[in-house]
Amino acid sequence: MTTTPAEFMGAAPAPMNGSSPWASRYAAELRQIVTGHAVRAPRNVQKHLGPSELGSVCDRQVAGKMAGLPTTNHVADPWPSIVGTAVHAWLAEAFEAENTRRGLLRFVTETRVVPHPNHSGTADLYDAGEQAVVDHKVLGETSMTKVRASGGPPRKYVVQLLLYGLGYRRLGLPVQRVALAAYPRTAATLDGLYVWERHYSTADDELLTEVFTQTEYRKQWADALLANAAALNDVPNSPDDSECYFCPFYRPQSARDQGPGCPGTVNPKGPGQ
Ligand code: SF4
């Protein structure tokens, strides 16, 4: 019995990402265009790191970024960052429209601030009514849980906020508090919106002094990497699953093949060693 092409195609397993072979191929092409553009986004090629990157606990990650080393992490998908970028643009429009509706300049959106001569950045929101600097974060469930935990957000988020706060103070504007507004990325409603805040105190200046000192140390490693006087894995690291997964240098296989990238939390000697 001969099988017709239609019968053959009908018996084939359903394509994963489309209703037909054409649709599946087209889904793959759409994905390739989206991820290709994300990789080329300016935030991925900067070498003067901004406030969002200086507070990482990992010297190796920050030094590698400063040196502009190539990305070796092909585990992380750019979609969360694409969604975050799009939501930030929408929120900026929303708060500007609120100013227009009220006839009052309460919210200042997407403003360049310079907390340090070499490390400027764009702050999401300044609320003149509350004298507060606000950073929007669009978070998955795991990150949201960490922000809600009693210890508050991870150090890098706190440092980022404090740097924006310092930048605004350097513009001559009062900053009473910094706030992280966490929006649920995967939920169907805004019920999970959560705000964490910190009232400004002199302890914040001490933390930022520590960050600037740490940044100078990391710059020395970046110089060594650029001069080929050191390799990435010579730089001290602080592996942490949530940090490593999104790190551009994460490559678990490097624990075994000694190739490029950082093994992160993977033990080069194998489990239990
Ligand atoms: S993979 Fe982890 S330990 Fe390695 S550089 Fe990145 S954040 Fe640091």
Side-chain angles (χ1 to χ4, degrees):
M1 192 178 91
T2 52
T3 305
T4 65
E7 286 168 338
F8 178 79
M9 293 303 290
M16 293 287 289
N17 292 321
S19 59
S20 68
W22 180 91
S24 195
R25 178 192 62 73
Y26 198 60
E29 187 176 358
L30 294 176
R31 180 176 181 156
Q32 188 268 325
I33 290 169
V34 170
T35 54
H37 186 69
V39 167
R40 287 175 191 83
R43 67 194 316 184
N44 290 345
V45 293
Q46 67 171 307
K47 296 196 186 146
H48 289 287
L49 302 189
S52 64
E53 292 162 303
L54 296 187
S56 166
V57 293
C58 185
D59 294 335
R60 185 178 297 176
Q61 181 189 116
V62 177
K65 283 181 174 176
M66 284 173 168
L69 298 188
T71 295
T72 54
N73 183 352
H74 303 297
V75 178
D77 190 285
W79 187 240
S81 141
I82 294 168
V83 173
T85 302
V87 172
H88 273 76
W90 195 95
L91 290 171
E93 280 182 22
F95 285 96
E96 282 160 19
E98 180 71 3
N99 286 336
T100 305
R101 273 191 292 273
R102 294 182 185 209
L104 190 71
L105 182 58
R106 173 178 169 185
F107 298 110
V108 182
T109 65
E110 300 290 331
T111 299
R112 185 170 181 271
V113 292
V114 189
H116 182 283
N118 295 329
H119 303 287
S120 60
T122 302
D124 290 344
L125 192 70
Y126 175 76
D127 183 337
E130 298 287 347
Q131 299 187 345
V133 170
V134 183
D135 192 49
H136 306 304
K137 293 277 183 231
V138 185
L139 301 178
E141 276 181 39
T142 308
S143 301
M144 188 65 101
T145 303
K146 284 188 182 164
V147 168
R148 285 173 174 273
S150 54
R155 179 183 189 262
K156 66 177 179 183
Y157 288 171
V158 176
V159 168
Q160 180 183 7
L161 274 165
L162 295 178
L163 286 168
Y164 290 149
L166 176 58
Y168 265 106
R169 282 189 275 133
R170 291 205 161 137
L171 287 175
L173 289 165
V175 177
Q176 294 291 333
R177 54 171 37 84
V178 294
L180 187 154
Y183 300 79
R185 193 180 68 238
T186 51
T189 73
L190 267 181
D191 289 353
L193 171 61
Y194 182 81
V195 172
W196 174 89
E197 60 119 349
R198 172 161 163 155
H199 202 271
Y200 169 73
S201 78
T202 50
D204 296 341
D205 293 331
E206 287 163 22
L207 173 55
L208 291 184
T209 300
E210 181 189 308
V211 169
F212 291 141
T213 304
Q214 196 172 39
T215 301
E216 288 307 312
Y217 168 75
R218 292 164 168 181
K219 276 181 187 161
Q220 289 172 15
W221 274 112
D223 286 343
L225 292 171
L226 285 166
N228 287 325
L232 180 69
N233 287 338
D234 294 332
V235 186
N237 68 342
S238 302
D240 173 89
D241 274 335
S242 58
E243 186 81 11
C244 294
Y245 184 80
F246 297 102
C247 171
F249 311 116
Y250 182 48
R251 200 176 75 88
Q253 305 92 313
S254 67
R256 277 180 280 110
D257 64 17
Q258 312 304 315
C262 171
T265 53
V266 176
N267 185 344
K269 293 177 181 165
Q273 300 295 303

